[in-house]
């Protein structure tokens, strides 16, 4: 026989107090006499009463939940980020809602209103360019938010980013230092600051070294498939390319796969380098050289600061820019190229 669930009314009746008194006890709001408090506590233990946390959250219009909005759950960068965010959220008594959303969805008022109706306490936003329309919509909801990754725009409003420009310079300089003579860059879609900064870092580094040569930039979409497709296009149009800097690691993995299909030796014939520092770059042969972001630190800082905003422990975040580092691996070490 199924056990009947115990309700707040059952607790009130057994304790000889009103439902309102039990509610005040559960929510720690308002005065309750010591005797009544002890009765309620004992009855709850006797009846094994567990308050409905969701209902309590809705009643208080606070659910201790935060939403992480990302553009592509298939990209291993984001699951690695989730680990850090969830670690911090759990330690502070918050749950995480993971939302995979396209750029167009974020421009829709209904998208944001749905979260207001669910009383989500805050957002960590990593999806594409953070537009003025999105900012105004979130301000209207009066829900705190922090921007990271592709949404980080470098202003002074709740933004945590990495030094994408310097990362691109490090990547490009490394390819030049190992002897690459003709280097191409594959960017993501140029609608976010990180993509544009990585491209600018590449162009500004290449130009002084090869002032008379064409600067080769191609556009991907941060997917493995685009890394394969664009790499094939590069070699079709420029057979003498001997170095490729890809705007993220997932495209670099695609590039490696395509080069192997084309019977090109990496790094002997062509050196490749990615950007992000995801663990998957160490699980292929050769391992891929990358510009490593502090992924876990980004997640920790974003979550900690968001919860501080939610709990009124701080006001707006100032702009935060974290350092990146070059991690040299097999996809560039051992490059031979054309010996002139």
């Amino acid at each position: 026989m199924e056990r009947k669930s115990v309700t707040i009314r059952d607790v009130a009746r057994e304790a000889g107090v009103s439902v309102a008194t039990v509610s005040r006890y559960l929510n720690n709001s308002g005065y309750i006499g010591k005797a009544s408090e002890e009765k309620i506590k004992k009855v709850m233990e006797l009846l094994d009463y567990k308050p409905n946390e969701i209902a309590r959250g809705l009643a208080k219009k606070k659910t201790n939940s935060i939403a992480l909005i990302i553009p592509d759950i298939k990209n291993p960068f984001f699951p690695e980020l989730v680990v850090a965010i969830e670690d911090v959220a759990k330690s502070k008594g918050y749950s995480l809602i993971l939302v995979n959303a396209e750029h167009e969805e974020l421009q829709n008022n209904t998208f944001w209103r749905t979260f207001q109706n669910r009383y989500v306490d805050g957002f960590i936003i990593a999806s594409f360019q953070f537009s003025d329309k999105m900012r105004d919509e979130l301000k209207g909801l009066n829900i705190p938010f922090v921007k990271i990754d592709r949404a980080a725009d470098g202003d002074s409003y709740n933004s945590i980013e990495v030094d994408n420009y310097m990362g691109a310079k490090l990547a490009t300089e490394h390819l030049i230092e190992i002897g690459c003579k003709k280097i191409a860059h594959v960017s993501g879609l140029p609608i976010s600051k990180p993509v544009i900064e990585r491209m600018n870092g590449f162009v500004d580094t290449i130009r002084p070294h090869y002032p008379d040569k064409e600067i080769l930039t191609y556009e991907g979409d941060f997917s493995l498939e685009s890394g394969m497709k664009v790499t094939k296009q590069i070699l079709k149009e420029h057979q003498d390319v001997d170095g490729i800097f890809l705007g993220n690691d997932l495209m670099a993995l695609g590039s490696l796969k395509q080069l192997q299909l084309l019977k090109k030796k990496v790094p002997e014939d062509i050196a490749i380098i990615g950007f992000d520092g995801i663990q998957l770059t160490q699980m292929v042969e050769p391992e891929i050289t990358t510009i490593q972001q502090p992924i876990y630190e980004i997640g920790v800082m974003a979550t900690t600061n968001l919860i501080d905003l939610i709990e009124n422990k701080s006001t707006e975040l100032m702009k935060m820019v974290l350092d990146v580092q070059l991690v040299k691996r097999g996809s560039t070490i051992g490059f031979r190229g054309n010996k002139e």
Side-chain angles (χ1 to χ4, degrees):
M1 183 175 177
E2 186 177 350
R3 181 185 173 187
K4 181 182 177 182
S5 59
V6 179
T7 69
I8 191 173
R9 293 184 183 278
D10 296 327
V11 174
R13 184 174 58 252
E14 291 296 325
V17 297
S18 68
V19 171
T21 300
V22 179
S23 179
R24 287 199 300 274
Y25 172 81
L26 292 173
N27 293 299
N28 195 25
S29 61
Y31 174 76
I32 304 174
K34 189 68 176 176
S36 295
E37 188 175 323
E38 289 298 326
K39 284 181 183 179
I40 294 169
K41 183 178 179 181
K42 287 180 180 179
V43 169
M44 285 178 60
E45 291 174 355
L46 181 65
L47 299 179
D48 193 25
Y49 173 70
K50 300 291 191 298
N52 187 320
E53 293 297 332
I54 295 175
R56 291 176 67 193
L58 294 176
K60 293 185 293 183
K61 297 187 178 181
K62 188 176 189 302
T63 57
N64 276 40
S65 62
I66 58 177
L68 170 62
I69 301 172
I70 61 173
D72 183 12
I73 190 60
K74 299 189 300 296
N75 186 334
F77 174 84
F78 294 108
E80 290 187 28
L81 185 67
V82 168
V83 171
I85 292 173
E86 201 161 38
D87 283 351
V88 177
K90 283 182 178 179
S91 73
K92 294 180 178 289
Y94 284 75
S95 60
L96 178 65
I97 300 170
L98 185 59
V99 183
N100 194 81
E102 298 290 340
H103 178 66
E104 292 73 19
E105 293 179 74
L106 305 186
Q107 310 304 314
N108 190 325
N109 293 356
T110 306
F111 177 86
W112 300 105
R113 297 290 172 184
T114 299
F115 293 103
Q116 185 182 43
N117 294 337
R118 295 175 64 180
Y119 298 114
V120 168
D121 298 316
F123 298 101
I124 297 175
I125 304 168
S127 288
F128 295 101
Q129 187 177 21
F130 195 83
S131 66
D132 291 339
K133 182 179 179 181
M134 288 168 57
R135 182 182 294 109
D136 292 343
E137 186 67 31
L138 278 173
K139 283 185 177 180
L141 296 179
N142 198 30
I143 299 176
F145 61 89
V146 174
K147 297 171 293 180
I148 60 173
D149 194 55
R150 304 180 200 181
D153 53 14
D155 64 17
S156 60
Y157 197 81
N158 301 8
S159 188
I160 298 173
E161 60 183 320
V162 301
D163 196 339
N164 291 288
Y165 183 86
M166 179 55 66
K169 285 184 67 67
L170 290 172
T172 311
E173 287 170 354
H174 176 57
L175 292 175
I176 293 169
E177 286 169 1
I178 63 174
C180 293
K181 302 297 184 184
K182 191 166 186 177
I183 304 169
H185 173 53
V186 183
S187 74
L189 300 173
I191 61 173
S192 66
K193 185 184 176 186
V195 171
I196 294 168
E197 286 190 337
R198 292 173 197 181
M199 184 183 297
N200 289 342
F202 168 76
V203 172
D204 290 350
T205 306
I206 279 288
R207 185 176 283 122
H209 286 275
Y210 305 113
D212 300 325
K213 291 186 178 181
E214 178 186 4
I215 296 179
L216 303 179
T217 59
Y218 289 78
E219 186 178 302
D221 63 7
F222 278 164
S223 69
L224 184 146
E225 292 77 14
S226 73
M228 293 186 66
K229 180 180 178 181
V230 177
T231 296
K232 186 175 183 180
Q233 180 185 353
I234 290 171
L235 292 184
K236 182 178 180 182
E237 296 176 359
H238 300 276
Q239 295 182 12
D240 55 343
V241 161
D242 56 7
I244 307 176
F245 163 41
L246 298 109
N248 80 336
D249 283 341
L250 201 55
M251 290 196 298
L253 288 162
S255 180
L256 175 63
K257 183 175 181 180
Q258 184 64 67
L259 290 170
Q260 290 172 340
L261 289 172
L262 295 172
K263 308 301 182 184
K264 296 287 185 179
K265 293 180 181 179
V266 178
E268 292 87 349
D269 301 330
I270 300 180
I272 63 172
I273 182 170
F275 198 117
D276 279 342
I278 62 174
Q279 292 181 5
L280 199 54
T281 55
Q282 300 176 70
M283 300 177 188
V284 292
E285 182 59 40
E287 294 184 6
I288 295 176
T289 297
T290 185
I291 300 300
Q292 188 173 67
Q293 297 194 56
I295 301 175
Y296 195 88
E297 184 181 354
I298 292 169
V300 169
M301 292 181 69
T303 313
T304 300
N305 283 286
L306 176 62
I307 292 174
D308 283 348
L309 288 170
I310 292 169
E311 298 179 352
N312 297 314
K313 294 178 181 177
S314 71
T315 55
E316 289 182 6
L317 288 172
M318 294 302 289
K319 172 183 174 183
M320 294 184 183
V321 182
L322 306 180
D323 292 332
V324 295
Q325 61 178 335
L326 170 66
V327 179
K328 301 176 184 178
R329 298 195 184 117
S331 69
T332 57
I333 298 171
F335 171 77
R336 290 200 298 263
N338 296 318
K339 304 298 182 182
E340 296 178 354

